Amino acid sequence: MNSDMTQGVSRRSFLRIVGAASAAATSFPAFAAMTPAAAPAGQTARRSRGMQALSADTVVISSNENPLGPAQSALTAICSMGVQGGRYHWDEYVKTIDVFNGEFGLKKDYSALFPGSSGPLDLALMSNLGPDKPLVYGDPSYEQGPRAAEVMKAPKYPVPLTGTYAHDVKAMLKAHPAPGAYYIVNPNNPTGTMTPKEDIVWLVNNKPKGSVVIIDEAYHHFSNDESCIDLVNQDKDVIVMRTFSKIYGMAGLRAGFVVARPDLIERFNNVGGPSQSLASVSITSAAAARASLQDKDLVPLRKKINGDIRTETVEFLTKHGYKVIQGSQGNMFMVDVKRPGKEFQNAMLKENVAVGRTWSAMPNYVRVTVGTKAEMEKFQTAFVKCMDMPAGAANGAAELHMPEFHVPSELYRG
Ligand SMILES: Cc1ncc(COP(=O)(O)O)c(C=O)c1O
């Protein structure tokens, strides 16, 4: 294969993205908001405040990261690739894309490699949204969907999850006659719960012509269900997002894939696309991603470790009478803290345990990421102690701002 070509985005179209990006930075407000240089002072300040450090002994179970970090196979690949870091090495990306495509039997040009999935998720959303192209999405779910809709001035149609915390595809279809996109997170963030594949297939087959279904499979490796990537192979109007930030433990290293028909990936160019510095994956991350994909024991082993610790933690909480949203197949779950979640989060921080945020649809629940066994033991002790405090007791505690969102969407927050 031509080494000037990444499999998802040809060098020609890639350069078009970059070219369009610089033009769009001046003419297109959404893109201008994505460039750090263009971020108003307040946004920059908020971003750095969000990065405030936690003490070294804090148990951090707030951002759905993987406490195991990158696999040994990935670390070894990074070390051997690092010495070649003086070269651009387009072929490294192509090799990684080939391995990914091989895993899913994908046709050529049906995937593209990015630094993480946040960037391409914004592009997938933004290239299909606008004032006359609304977004239909589940509530509660990952906020990147509605935030991208706001940037594009697209009407937002949140649809409550079902009683089992699945996306309510029938209600989503009824929400608007001609949306630009439906956004489905599976497993869902923050609940970890699944939307059955047959429901998603039903939506894809019954949706209005012209809209796309974006299926965010950031946490899919932790689940027992089948991926929706095969719908892309069937040339459906579907965009599937994958990341190496979760089960592969590469949140800081940054690698992710968009999987879609080539015309849907090409459409990203219409919204400017990220500048080259945002779009290009380092060869070390590309090598780590490839090594992780080739490490066949990795996913089953990590899925089991995470699932066992999640089950143990949820059983502990349930046995002690706390209400947990059941059915998580992700590396997280939601628990009812019977007081405003933010207040509980602050109380837990005083115990050196950073739990996740809350969602407006469930203000008294916090999201908890599954950490190591030792971390979850500390969590349990702190949780019981904080729940035993009367509601309101933590008011006035020093607030610690924790990073909640990912670049580049972080920059959108006005
Ligand atoms: C549902 C979902 N999608 C996408 C992302 C983005 O992850 P990344 O940019 O690290 O791939 C996250 C991160 O937490 C997420 O929860």
Side-chain angles (χ1 to χ4, degrees), residues 116-118 121 142 183 185 189 216 218-219 243 245-246 254 406:
S117 64
S118 297
L121 175 57
Y142 192 51
Y183 178 46
V185 182
N189 178 6
D216 188 336
Y219 302 95
T243 183
S245 297
K246 306 302 175 185
R254 314 301 297 139
H406 300 261

